[in-house]
Amino acid sequence: MIFDVEVKITLKDGMLNPEASTIERSLALLGYSVNNTKTSDTIKFSMDEEDREKVRSEVEDMCERLLCNPVIHNYKITVIPQETSCGCSK
Amino acid sequence: MIFDVEVKITLKDGMLNPEASTIERSLALLGYSVNNTKTSDTIKFSMDEEDREKVRSEVEDMCERLLCNPVIHNYKITVIPQETSCGCSK
């Protein structure tokens, strides 16, 4: 069974985000006033596995080993069976 | 009135995505088999403006001028009034 997987990676609270501060400063230079700028990365892929729990535990491993730095990042995993893809994240 | 803004930036169809191919190859080296890897960036910030339409048109300007490269990127803008933030993107 094929599953669509989405991993959303954000910085943990309190971590400095130089990318966000650069964006905010550059927008200010162009005359736009914005606040509380945050950035996040999303990685999407599909996997062929038996069941949703197996996919989730494999993706957690991937996050810990490669996709994220667990010291500074939080991650949120969404797994959707491809046949019934409806945009919801049950 | 304060609005929460989310800009989701993806590569246009047909553009090469070296970040995604590197992730896919590295996961394969670790023994995980994934397909159709895609990456996207999300920028969130808040803005103080009169109405939603003004926010949207300013953010479109920001995207064209700074946040995206319109030649290779698609972007999707979501604007939510902060007082009624409910996670929906009307």
Side-chain angles (χ1 to χ4, degrees), chain A residues 4-8 42-46, chain B residues 8 10 20 23-24 34-40:
Chain A
D4 284 327
V5 179
E6 184 180 297
V7 181
K8 189 173 175 186
T42 307
I43 304 169
K44 284 183 182 179
F45 49 81
S46 53
Chain B
K8 189 172 177 187
T10 50
I23 290 171
E24 202 167 306
V34 309
N35 302 298
N36 305 320
T37 310
K38 288 177 187 166
T39 59
S40 62

Side-chain angles (χ1 to χ4, degrees), chain B residues 1-74:
Chain B
M1 192 171 183
I2 296 173
F3 292 87
D4 283 328
V5 179
E6 184 179 298
V7 181
K8 189 172 177 187
I9 302 166
T10 50
L11 277 169
K12 286 188 175 170
D13 282 347
M15 300 304 301
L16 289 178
N17 187 343
E19 188 186 11
S21 11
T22 307
I23 290 171
E24 202 167 306
R25 219 167 37 238
S26 310
L27 286 174
L29 288 173
L30 290 174
Y32 304 107
S33 161
V34 309
N35 302 298
N36 305 320
T37 310
K38 288 177 187 166
T39 59
S40 62
D41 289 321
T42 306
I43 304 170
K44 284 183 183 180
F45 49 81
S46 54
M47 282 182 78
D48 193 358
E49 275 296 347
E50 286 153 34
D51 60 72
R52 186 196 293 260
E53 284 319 304
K54 205 163 171 192
V55 174
R56 183 170 287 276
S57 88
E58 269 206 52
V59 176
E60 272 173 22
D61 276 0
M62 291 178 202
C63 287
E64 298 287 331
R65 293 178 69 189
L66 180 83
L67 302 178
C68 311
N69 177 349
V71 178
I72 60 168
H73 290 136
N74 287 325

Side-chain angles (χ1 to χ4, degrees), chain A residues 39-84:
Chain A
T39 60
S40 62
D41 288 320
T42 307
I43 304 169
K44 284 183 182 179
F45 49 81
S46 53
M47 283 182 78
D48 193 358
E49 275 295 348
E50 286 154 35
D51 61 70
R52 185 196 293 261
E53 285 317 306
K54 205 164 172 193
V55 174
R56 182 170 288 276
S57 87
E58 269 206 50
V59 177
E60 272 172 21
D61 276 0
M62 291 180 203
C63 287
E64 299 287 332
R65 292 178 70 189
L66 180 84
L67 302 178
C68 311
N69 176 349
V71 179
I72 59 168
H73 290 136
N74 286 325
Y75 55 85
K76 190 182 156 210
I77 299 169
T78 310
V79 181
I80 307 171
Q82 204 164 67
E83 285 78 49
T84 60

